Amino acid sequence: MLKIENLTKSFGGVVATNDVSLHFEPATLSAIIGPNGAGKTTFFNLITGGLRPDSGRIVFDGEDITGYDSLTTVRRGIGRAFQVANLFPEFTVRDSLTAAVLSHRQQTARLTVQFSTVKAHTRADEIMEMFDLQDRAGVLSKNLSHGDQKLLDIALALALDPRVLLLDEPTAGMGPEERWKMMDMIHKLWQDERMTLIFIEHDMDIVFKIAQTVRVLCYGKVLAEGAPADIRSDPEVVKAYLGENFEEMAQ
């Protein structure tokens, strides 16, 4: 579904993404981990058109999309939710989702007539139900709790009908109970929609329980990739990121 080939991006003298090659199969659930500054968010920005790579290729469902802008990338079927929720602060939850649906269907002229389309409202209501946001439908996005803002951000990405969904630290800023609730919902979303889902996460308990495959970035390079059990016992990953006491702390 998504092939990254020899992807490189530098900022001045800093190589943020260094000759990265990764393949993501259809309908798989993957995690990307690594220390701060490892190039994880830059990697997402390159895939989604927020940045142009210096070299390398991004191939999505057989099409070379290297250098496409964000709008074109979304239209092709790659969605993105952000580490800091990217919302319409003055829109209600329902109107936010309706606007996203209309935008994706290239019906933005309807934004000037109070979202007057039954189909868009119906789709917005379906997505709210998926994310358990129905009782907050009339709440302004800016007034939602932090956890609900993160849920809405992912819901907005889903409104664009992605075949690949990228989630940048979906549990950032949440307490333990909220984190697991969020990841349970993400896991159910992946099971129901059967999309290719890739998430960045620092909570290793979540990563090793949820992900089918874990990719480790370190200083812009791929340090390791494999099943969770293999990654958590990889000596190089333990040394570079997990720490020598990781297994003892996890028990």
Side-chain angles (χ1 to χ4, degrees):
M1 178 59 72
L2 184 66
K3 294 183 180 181
I4 311 301
E5 300 178 348
N6 309 111
L7 204 63
T8 298
K9 179 66 180 180
S10 298
F11 300 96
V14 178
V15 182
T17 305
N18 189 354
D19 197 34
V20 170
S21 293
L22 292 171
H23 292 182
F24 299 89
E25 297 298 328
T28 52
L29 178 60
S30 307
I32 295 180
I33 66 172
N36 290 330
K40 303 183 295 296
T41 297
T42 297
F43 180 63
F44 271 16
N45 288 338
L46 290 167
I47 294 172
T48 56
L51 293 170
R52 292 180 64 90
D54 299 329
S55 60
R57 293 202 313 155
I58 303 165
V59 180
F60 173 58
D61 198 17
E63 178 184 5
D64 189 337
I65 63 168
T66 311
Y68 283 17
D69 62 26
S70 297
L71 177 60
T72 306
T73 303
V74 167
R75 295 271 189 241
R76 289 297 190 274
I78 298 179
R80 164 88 179 273
F82 295 83
Q83 184 176 348
V84 177
N86 193 13
L87 307 175
F88 304 107
E90 300 296 334
F91 283 11
T92 65
V93 170
R94 190 174 194 232
D95 283 349
S96 296
L97 288 167
T98 304
V101 171
L102 288 171
S103 176
H104 181 58
R105 296 176 180 177
Q106 302 185 50
Q107 296 176 326
T108 49
R110 293 181 180 270
L111 294 175
T112 62
V113 288
Q114 299 184 339
F115 315 127
S116 57
T117 166
V118 173
K119 289 183 179 180
H121 278 314
T122 299
R123 179 57 177 156
D125 290 344
E126 289 174 352
I127 296 171
M128 279 192 296
E129 185 174 354
M130 292 172 67
F131 287 88
D132 197 22
L133 289 169
Q134 310 95 304
D135 62 343
R136 274 86 86 203
V139 178
L140 293 180
S141 300
K142 67 180 182 181
N143 293 334
L144 294 171
S145 68
H146 173 71
D148 285 342
Q149 287 187 346
K150 296 283 284 186
L151 281 174
L152 179 56
D153 192 33
I154 299 172
L156 287 169
L158 186 65
L160 305 177
D161 297 326
R163 288 178 288 158
V164 170
L165 181 60
L166 309 179
L167 306 180
D168 193 346
E169 296 192 38
T171 68
M174 294 182 178
E177 186 175 340
E178 273 190 312
R179 288 202 299 269
W180 282 109
K181 180 181 177 182
M182 169 66 84
M183 292 311 299
D184 286 344
M185 194 162 294
I186 288 171
H187 191 264
K188 184 177 186 305
L189 172 68
W190 168 71
Q191 287 182 316
D192 291 346
E193 300 296 317
R194 301 310 296 170
M195 65 181 68
T196 301
L197 197 153
I198 308 164
F199 67 97
I200 294 171
E201 182 55 62
H202 286 287
D203 188 324
M204 293 300 100
D205 288 339
I206 286 173
V207 167
F208 292 130
K209 181 176 180 180
I210 299 294
Q212 294 176 312
T213 305
V214 181
R215 276 93 175 181
V216 187
L217 295 182
C218 188
Y219 299 111
K221 294 184 70 70
V222 178
L223 179 63
E225 61 178 313
D230 296 330
I231 294 299
R232 71 186 301 157
S233 61
D234 186 301
E236 293 300 316
V237 177
V238 170
K239 180 179 179 181
Y241 183 51
L242 296 180
E244 299 295 338
N245 297 324
F246 173 74
E247 288 292 347
E248 180 180 335
M249 294 171 62
Q251 292 175 356

